[in-house]
Amino acid sequence: MRLTVIGCGYVGLVTGACLAAAGHEVYCTDVDRKRIDQLQAGQVPIYEEHLAEVLERARAERKIFFTAEASEAIRAGEVIFICVGTPPRENGEADLSAIDRVARQIATEARSPKLVIEKSTVPALTGVQLVKALAAYSPPGGVKFSVASNPEFLREGTAVEDFFHPDRIVVGVGDGATASTLGEIYRPILERRFYCPVHAGLCPAGPPAEFLVTTINSAELIKHASNSFLALKISYANVIADLCERIGADVEEVTRAMGLDPRIGKEFLRAGLGFGGFCFPKDLQAFIHLSARVGVDFEILKAAERVNKQRIDRFFEKIHKALWVIKDKKIVVLGLAFKPDTDDIRFAPALEIIRKLLEEGAAVHATDPQAIGKAKLLFPAVCYHEDPYEALRGADAALLCTEWKAFREIDWERAGQTMARRLVIDGRDVYQRKAMQQLGFDYDSFGRP
Ligand SMILES: NC(=O)c1ccc[n+]([C@@H]2O[C@H](COP(=O)([O-])OP(=O)(O)OC[C@H]3O[C@@H](n4cnc5c(N)ncnc54)[C@H](O)[C@@H]3O)[C@@H](O)[C@H]2O)c1
């Protein structure tokens, strides 16, 4: 099938590349001309494992094309995936202006009927607005549009694997024909007819993904409800960590035992600096906002958000307790990305920590395997290092903000020899207190005695 992808960010590129690998012909476009130039030149503008390989294969097989001309891409595909950003507005509501702009472009540029699919995360009832917008922007006698919702559940860092091996594919549709079209698009994924770079073509046998056909409103709600629930779980674990600190229990022991109960599950129960990124914080806010708008008070989500924001304050309490004075101290931030294996720093806890450290007059040094380039644009006053050992030379304290493998494996004996003071504050509960203390470190983390 011929598909169009509008928006070549994390979701758009992974969707485009993986659907091309599944045999479709994919036309991608983006307002960011520089990004399209890079993609046309064979460069990948984001860091995501396996994505370069999938793109390269698709390009070699002439299955994926990039153009800065939206009209060209819109006319080429029978089905259009909208993958543009939906960032939060100041009041927390989702900013849907990019979706609206794209709807206008589709309505004015399409010359044949199109199925328009929301893949961006949008609040429930956006589909209804999209149908209206496409009709309102269409010229008299314009083409026919159908609309569907196909929320994306990929996680940055494992996005290619998640797209090729989803646990569910949700399609919100208004009619059977649309459900069939989406079934056709995803059939190669469901039947595993693609080359999987994650498993070098030898994917382990596993249960096939569930292909769930719902209404458009339900599909939109499923995405927000899922993300908000996971955010809630993280905040729950973080309050347990606070409680553990007060009563001398160990959050790892508690959450591990909790997670063994299949009704609870072990994922997303890690205490620490909380969640960041382009999904959880904004989706939580948008869900709270949507609920309020329709007269439902989603109090527990507000609490989850509050707890998450407090993590930074709790971290600073630990920093102050250990360092006393922050001004003029050399403090090293280990990790800038909001999670390991991505270069995405949007809403990363490390950013707020750096902002506060700079405000208090610290000499801030930072390192990250992939995200330095992006952080430099935001914080030019920070001193960046590619090598964590270089960063730690002469440091008064190290703050672990993102649990990259490279940081999990730091040889603290070696690092400690060049640090001005052996002090580590672990925002991700990665290191063991006993081992750190044996190396002569002052060590603190969340929820562990
Ligand atoms: N990043 C994730 O892990 C993830 C996972 C699931 C869902 N989502 C959702 O998917 C959507 C996209 O997220 P992302 O992380 O890929 O964002 P992103 O910022 O990486 O990408 C968005 C892209 O859209 C482009 N764009 C904006 N307006 C445009 C327009 N009018 N026409 C063409 N291109 C336009 C931007 O230039 C950018 O390249 C969001 O709604 C997000 O919530 C993200």
Side-chain angles (χ1 to χ4, degrees):
M1 213 174 277
R2 274 175 291 115
L3 313 176
T4 299
V5 169
I6 305 186
C8 296
Y10 289 87
V11 167
L13 278 179
V14 173
T15 301
C18 293
L19 289 178
H24 300 293
E25 207 169 284
V26 185
Y27 297 83
C28 304
T29 187
D30 197 291
V31 275
D32 184 343
R33 190 170 276 273
K34 206 173 126 213
R35 181 162 282 228
I36 293 294
D37 288 346
Q38 279 179 300
L39 287 160
Q40 283 174 338
Q43 295 158 13
V44 186
I46 56 170
Y47 174 77
E48 186 60 53
E49 212 185 351
H50 305 299
L51 180 59
E53 189 185 339
V54 184
L55 275 172
E56 190 46 52
R57 269 178 176 262
R59 204 193 317 271
E61 288 169 8
R62 299 197 54 74
K63 289 287 187 193
I64 197 160
F65 306 92
F66 297 96
T67 172
E69 300 305 323
S71 55
E72 200 184 307
I74 288 167
R75 288 174 199 173
E78 305 151 63
V79 176
I80 301 177
F81 285 89
I82 303 181
C83 303
V84 298
T86 47
R89 291 170 53 183
E90 228 159 69
N91 65 359
E93 209 178 351
D95 179 352
L96 301 176
S97 54
I99 304 261
D100 180 53
R101 257 198 310 280
V102 168
R104 185 188 288 270
Q105 266 180 328
I106 295 173
T108 51
E109 299 297 345
R111 297 291 180 268
S112 55
K114 307 282 175 195
L115 167 58
V116 180
I117 300 179
E118 311 163 342
K119 199 165 227 349
S120 302
T121 302
V122 291
L125 302 175
T126 301
V128 178
Q129 294 299 337
L130 188 56
V131 170
K132 283 191 197 161
L134 287 165
Y137 296 139
S138 285
V143 302
K144 187 175 168 293
F145 296 107
S146 343
V147 166
S149 164
N150 171 217
E152 183 48 60
F153 298 100
L154 62 78
R155 298 160 299 173
E156 286 176 27
T158 51
V160 170
E161 181 171 4
D162 293 345
F163 200 97
F164 278 145
H165 299 290
D167 32 38
R168 80 273 208 214
I169 294 171
V170 174
V171 297
V173 299
D175 55 71
T178 303
S180 304
T181 306
L182 276 152
E184 276 309 301
I185 293 172
Y186 282 106
R187 190 187 303 279
I189 303 283
L190 293 164
E191 293 177 356
R192 299 204 171 155
R193 283 190 281 111
F194 52 83
Y195 173 79
C196 171
V198 182
H199 305 105
L202 298 168
C203 304
E210 289 241 14
F211 186 76
L212 297 166
V213 181
T214 70
T215 63
I216 298 179
N217 285 351
S218 294
E220 291 166 338
L221 209 60
I222 286 166
K223 174 65 187 173
H224 267 153
S226 304
N227 271 6
S228 296
F229 186 78
L230 294 174
L232 201 64
K233 242 181 134 182
I234 295 171
S235 282
Y236 189 87
N238 278 325
V239 179
I240 300 284
D242 289 348
L243 206 53
C244 285
E245 284 183 23
R246 296 289 165 89
I247 61 178
D250 184 332
V251 71
E252 277 182 348
E253 291 176 353
V254 177
T255 52
R256 181 163 185 279
M258 282 171 64
L260 289 173
D261 180 337
R263 292 170 304 174
I264 297 175
K266 62 182 189 333
E267 303 291 338
F268 288 78
L269 275 182
R270 279 197 77 89
L273 276 170
F275 53 83
F278 194 50
C279 290
F280 285 5
K282 83 171 173 65
D283 293 352
L284 194 61
Q285 278 186 13
F287 205 30
I288 292 169
H289 213 276
L290 169 88
S291 310
R293 188 151 56 82
V294 296
V296 174
D297 190 357
F298 219 146
E299 199 55 49
I300 43 174
L301 293 190
K302 293 182 196 164
E305 193 186 24
R306 201 167 53 242
V307 167
N308 198 55
K309 285 188 177 145
Q310 284 165 354
R311 304 323 291 164
I312 307 288
D313 299 333
R314 297 277 296 107
F315 200 53
F316 265 78
E317 282 166 22
K318 292 174 188 295
I319 300 171
H320 278 132
K321 194 170 143 207
L323 265 182
W324 182 37
V325 172
I326 286 182
K327 192 168 185 306
D328 296 332
K329 298 271 166 67
K330 172 174 174 177
I331 301 184
V332 179
V333 173
L334 297 170
L336 297 159
F338 83 93
K339 67 182 220 181
D341 304 320
T342 177
D343 60 349
D344 196 348
I345 59 169
R346 292 176 290 184
F347 303 100
L351 304 189
E352 185 59 11
I353 289 163
I354 290 176
R355 196 184 58 72
K356 278 176 168 270
L357 289 171
L358 289 172
E359 237 172 51
E360 294 202 32
V364 183
H365 292 241
T367 176
D368 187 285
Q370 294 294 337
I372 289 177
K374 288 185 175 167
K376 261 183 189 167
L377 301 173
L378 282 184
F379 296 111
V382 168
C383 189
Y384 297 92
H385 306 259
E386 298 288 340
D387 177 1
Y389 295 98
E390 268 312 306
L392 289 164
R393 190 176 289 279
D396 292 294
L399 312 179
L400 181 74
C401 295
T402 318
E403 65 278 33
W404 283 92
K405 186 164 177 278
F407 301 151
R408 287 176 177 273
E409 293 174 351
I410 285 179
D411 174 350
W412 283 106
E413 174 51 35
R414 177 182 158 197
Q417 281 166 10
T418 66
M419 288 175 75
R421 178 175 169 191
R422 293 188 178 212
L423 169 62
V424 172
I425 304 178
D426 179 353
R428 297 296 177 184
D429 284 12
V430 159
Y431 309 119
Q432 294 306 316
R433 177 185 296 275
K434 216 170 170 185
M436 295 303 281
Q437 283 175 340
Q438 276 167 0
L439 294 175
F441 276 85
D442 272 342
Y443 174 80
D444 203 356
S445 61
F446 283 104
R448 302 189 300 178

